[in-house]
Amino acid sequence: MGKYVVSPATHRTDCGRFRASFSVQRTGGNGSYSRVFRFDKTFASPEGARLFAVTQGWLETTMSRPPAC
């Protein structure tokens, strides 16, 4: 997504639902940036969790002040 690499991921919970997370990385110039975001919200399918992670990653990398989750 632009100058960032966003990697979405899903994780199965003990009760069989799915959680979303993503990592954002940027390197270049004089510094680098790396951050992992994990969410408490659960989803019935891995596709739902992945879509949420991709959307949140897009918001994080495109908005000057992303909304707090």
Side-chain angles (χ1 to χ4, degrees):
M1 295 182 179
K3 58 186 174 183
Y4 297 96
V5 175
V6 177
S7 303
T10 61
H11 312 276
R12 183 180 284 260
T13 65
D14 292 338
C15 65
R17 292 184 58 88
F18 296 88
R19 291 188 192 267
S21 67
F22 70 91
S23 66
V24 176
Q25 298 177 352
R26 181 188 63 145
T27 57
N30 293 332
S32 64
Y33 174 86
S34 180
R35 191 165 179 191
V36 176
F37 296 81
R38 292 184 181 95
F39 302 97
D40 290 333
K41 182 178 176 98
T42 61
F43 300 86
S45 69
E47 293 82 17
R50 184 180 178 285
L51 180 60
F52 183 81
V54 168
T55 302
Q56 294 301 312
W58 177 78
L59 289 171
E60 177 65 27
T61 58
T62 59
M63 297 180 74
S64 60
R65 294 191 120 216
C69 295

